[in-house]
Amino acid sequence: MCPGVVIVMSWKDVDKGWGDQAKVWASIMEPRWWPEFDAVLRATDVGEATQYLDIACGSGLMVNMASRRGAQAHGLDASDRLLALARRRTPTADIQHGDMNDLPWEEGTFDVATSCRGIWGPNQDAVHEAARVLKPGGCLGLSFFAAGRESNQIGKAFHAIRRVSEHEIEWSQQLGQIGQTGRAEEMCETAGLIPGERQSLEFDLEGADIEHEVKAWMSAGPAWMAIQERGAEDVEHSLRTELAELEEEGIGVRTQVIIEFVVAQKPS
Ligand SMILES: C[S@@+](CC[C@H](N)C(=O)[O-])C[C@H]1O[C@@H](n2cnc3c(N)ncnc32)[C@H](O)[C@@H]1O
């Protein structure tokens, strides 16, 4: 591939990357992000009867957590196979297959919308859509990796994937821009929202052992693209080598991650 050329998938192709390992994502990768989901749901005050939407909801753990808090929960994602799990988890929720840049809800529908690592640097249109479907006075909770993730432990997994995939080198730089100082806030302001102060949280992704850890990362979209370029064996080998350093005897593999988020309000 030519340097600087990034293949941007149509939303209709997203399921190819995210759906292949949907069961693995839902059972061993997604649950490890619960501290982020919990923090964003609390910061946006999701509770009894909140009209709530999770954008790029994946297999729907956050939708389920919102529903348990009493919210009228809705979710949207482009991967049908992840959504099958989301629907199974929370049958009472309204879960839609679609594109975050063209949400299938009326203007002013929701009190709260969230997106956890679903809206990235190039996705300004998705922030506009989130703002459109919020009620006046409603808020968007947007979470993402803190800038400089390359130097954090989580960066090891991304590094392992990037060193076998030219596509991921370019693409992950563009995605990660949302973490840069002021960038997420600027995206919210451009969409007419008023961002509050950026918040940060730190936790460990927990893996039972290195095989568990490799399996978890192999279920993520970025690994899929690398697998298309280099084959599963190379990607697995790269992940195993990089992440082995994080294994602790009797503890398992613990990977520190720093997440930041902003809560931005739609003017009343
Ligand atoms: C990093 S995952 C995050 C999923 C979920 N928020 C979580 O934290 O587990 C990114 C998600 O974005 C979804 N996605 C990618 N492009 C999309 C689009 N254009 N519209 C809707 N969903 C999209 C993928 O299917 C995937 O579920």
Side-chain angles (χ1 to χ4, degrees):
M1 189 189 305
C2 301
V5 175
V6 173
I7 301 166
V8 180
M9 275 192 186
S10 149
W11 76 270
K12 291 198 168 147
D13 290 331
V14 164
D15 183 68
K16 287 183 191 157
W18 283 98
D20 269 3
Q21 297 288 316
K23 287 181 289 189
V24 179
W25 174 269
S27 56
I28 70 172
M29 188 49 136
E30 188 194 28
R32 310 190 313 166
W33 302 88
W34 75 264
E36 174 190 12
F37 302 153
D38 179 57
V40 175
L41 288 171
R42 280 190 284 124
T44 51
D45 209 15
V46 170
E48 205 58 50
T50 305
Q51 284 293 332
Y52 169 77
L53 169 66
D54 189 31
I55 299 166
C57 66
S59 37
L61 179 57
M62 192 158 176
V63 169
N64 188 270
M65 288 169 70
S67 178
R68 287 176 192 279
R69 293 171 78 99
Q72 301 289 316
H74 307 251
L76 174 127
D77 199 276
S79 167
D80 258 336
R81 286 176 286 180
L82 284 173
L83 290 180
L85 287 143
R87 291 193 181 103
R88 177 61 193 263
R89 274 180 170 156
T90 317
T92 53
D94 168 29
I95 308 274
Q96 304 266 348
H97 179 231
D99 181 11
M100 62 186 172
N101 302 302
D102 185 17
L103 297 175
W105 289 281
E106 299 288 318
E107 185 170 339
T109 303
F110 299 104
D111 301 305
V112 176
T114 59
S115 192
C116 290
R117 289 161 292 99
I119 292 178
W120 301 84
N123 301 134
Q124 179 65 55
D125 289 351
V127 183
H128 275 289
E129 271 299 88
R132 182 185 66 77
V133 299
L134 282 174
K135 295 177 186 172
C139 68
L140 170 66
L142 199 54
S143 65
F144 41 83
F145 292 112
R149 64 179 170 174
E150 292 72 18
S151 52
N152 299 332
Q153 288 184 348
I154 188 86
K156 284 183 161 299
F158 290 108
H159 175 68
I161 293 169
R162 281 201 303 262
R163 74 174 165 212
V164 295
S165 166
E166 285 183 29
H167 175 273
E168 283 304 319
I169 293 171
E170 302 277 348
W171 188 226
S172 70
Q173 271 174 6
Q174 294 187 26
L175 296 184
Q177 281 169 7
I178 193 168
Q180 290 170 1
T181 309
R183 181 65 190 127
E185 292 81 351
E186 191 184 316
M187 290 171 79
C188 291
E189 280 165 358
T190 303
L193 303 173
I194 304 163
E197 202 166 311
R198 191 181 280 217
Q199 300 178 62
S200 176
L201 96 140
E202 196 178 308
F203 54 97
D204 284 353
L205 300 181
E206 298 176 335
D209 55 32
I210 190 67
E211 292 315 316
H212 183 259
E213 199 58 27
V214 169
K215 198 169 176 186
W217 281 103
M218 288 291 283
S219 72
W224 182 85
M225 189 56 88
I227 292 165
Q228 306 317 299
E229 276 178 56
R230 291 283 294 270
E233 212 172 300
D234 276 9
V235 184
E236 273 183 19
H237 175 73
S238 186
L239 282 164
R240 193 171 288 112
T241 310
E242 193 72 31
L243 297 173
E245 288 171 28
L246 300 177
E247 189 159 22
E248 293 174 44
E249 181 70 29
I251 298 289
V253 182
R254 298 185 72 86
T255 310
Q256 183 210 50
V257 52
I258 304 171
I259 290 290
E260 291 182 344
F261 61 94
V262 291
V263 176
Q265 202 176 17
K266 183 165 174 172
S268 300

